[in-house]
Amino acid sequence: MITCFDIGGTTIKAAVAHSATDIVSLGRVATPAHDFDAFADAIAALIAQGGAPAGAAIAISIAGVVDPATNVATVANIPCINGRALGPDLSAKLSRPVIVGNDADCFALAEAHAGAGKGFNVVFGVILGTGVGGGIIADGRLIRGAGGFSGEWGHATIVQTETQAWPHKIAHMACGCGQLGCTDTIGGARGLERLHAQIHGQTLSSLDIVFAWGQGDTQSTRTMTLYTELLAAPLALLVNVLGPDIIPVGGGLGNSPELVAALDAAVRPRILRKLDRPLIVPAQLTVDAGLIGAASLAYSEGVV
């Protein structure tokens, strides 16, 4: 029995986990973002509420990067833990083993253990949210890259500058990572909105673009056709490099089954392995993926 947490900039969600997939919610509290002692106290109170025995581990999913060599977390939206060796610091304060994972990695673990990736050897979990992210799972375990970076397919100057389905020149856009033309600049919700504005000179939300596409709107259909083509090339490269058996898609844009199906249809002809089944599929876990992912991280790493 352990306690697992899904921590964001505004809310801490917690659950008791009896296994990697058997969790019971403990509810949520506000995140003390600027006071580490208050942050640790909030976690301790939730542990006490769940009744985990003294010394039982805790597992955390967090929207940030954790360097596996130093345990230092980079978490922009929670200043009190940004730059800390979060696992060791919490472990010392709470007298419990602590394991911390990136939220995209925990999403991928959740899908591998209890969602669309269950039963497959290699799972690549894709996030199409505000931006683009991902996590790599092999034989039920997370692949932790050097510096905490793995599965970050959204970064590198890879976006093509001309499309074929609708002939169009695409200007490379600046990415928050400092490069130009990263997949992240067009792949997430903000990227889809930028792409639509670049093509049509019209400002629409990503939800409105996807909805209008479903209604047959000509401009949104053109945007989504280009968007699908632009994402298909880097996704196909990723498939050929990693060899995933399945790619569950989560995040806000992943809530559109039509978009996920369009990506699958665009990617499969571009990869070396020929499949007669969907490769890119909607994620199955939407509510508790962070908690299940955190629990899966702890149990798969033996931190129990």
Side-chain angles (χ1 to χ4, degrees):
M1 176 182 178
I2 66 170
T3 313
C4 52
F5 297 86
D6 183 3
I7 302 179
T10 58
T11 302
I12 297 175
K13 295 194 292 185
V16 170
H18 299 282
S19 72
T21 57
D22 179 9
I23 67 169
V24 179
S25 175
L26 296 173
R28 64 182 67 198
V29 298
T31 303
H34 299 278
D35 183 334
F36 180 72
D37 287 337
F39 179 88
D41 288 345
I43 289 175
L46 287 162
I47 293 171
Q49 179 183 326
I58 68 173
I60 296 173
S61 168
I62 203 154
V65 176
V66 181
D67 187 327
T70 65
N71 293 300
V72 170
T74 302
V75 188
N77 61 348
I78 308 177
C80 72
I81 63 174
N82 186 48
R84 277 186 176 270
L86 180 58
D89 285 0
L90 275 177
S91 182
K93 195 164 183 64
L94 302 176
S95 300
R96 297 169 181 273
V98 177
I99 189 166
V100 183
N102 166 265
D103 58 349
D105 290 337
C106 287
F107 157 77
L109 272 165
E111 286 296 318
H113 283 263
K118 187 176 181 180
F120 291 99
N121 289 330
V122 180
V123 178
F124 187 81
V126 162
I127 298 288
L128 296 179
T130 302
V132 169
I136 310 164
I137 312 301
D139 296 326
R141 296 192 63 183
L142 173 67
I143 294 180
R144 291 173 176 264
F149 295 101
S150 59
E152 295 291 350
W153 69 287
H155 297 281
T157 302
I158 196 170
V159 175
Q160 63 200 59
T161 55
E162 293 190 23
T163 55
Q164 298 176 4
W166 288 86
H168 193 86
K169 290 187 179 296
I170 304 294
H172 275 172
M173 292 177 270
C175 183
C177 75
Q179 301 185 91
L180 289 173
C182 290
T183 307
D184 196 70
T185 63
I186 57 97
R190 302 294 84 79
L192 177 59
E193 291 161 5
R194 284 192 293 267
L195 181 64
H196 188 81
Q198 185 182 120
I199 297 168
H200 303 295
Q202 179 188 43
T203 301
L204 284 179
S205 74
S206 59
L207 293 177
D208 287 340
I209 295 167
V210 172
F211 177 79
W213 170 52
Q215 299 299 305
D217 174 73
T218 301
Q219 288 189 331
S220 293
T221 296
R222 183 171 185 179
T223 298
M224 295 305 297
T225 300
L226 298 186
Y227 173 85
T228 302
E229 181 180 341
L230 292 170
L231 255 65
L235 267 175
L237 174 61
L238 180 150
V239 171
N240 288 336
V241 171
L242 295 180
D245 297 294
I246 199 80
I247 302 178
V249 180
L253 292 174
N255 290 329
S256 168
E258 295 79 13
L259 172 55
V260 176
L263 284 172
D264 181 65
V267 167
R268 281 198 283 148
R270 289 173 163 85
I271 63 176
L272 295 175
R273 182 186 179 198
K274 301 309 174 187
L275 295 170
D276 58 2
R277 61 164 176 85
L279 172 66
I280 301 173
V281 299
Q284 291 182 359
L285 306 174
T286 55
V287 178
D288 291 326
L291 293 170
I292 293 173
S296 298
L297 177 64
Y299 279 95
S300 64
E301 298 279 337
V303 185
V304 293

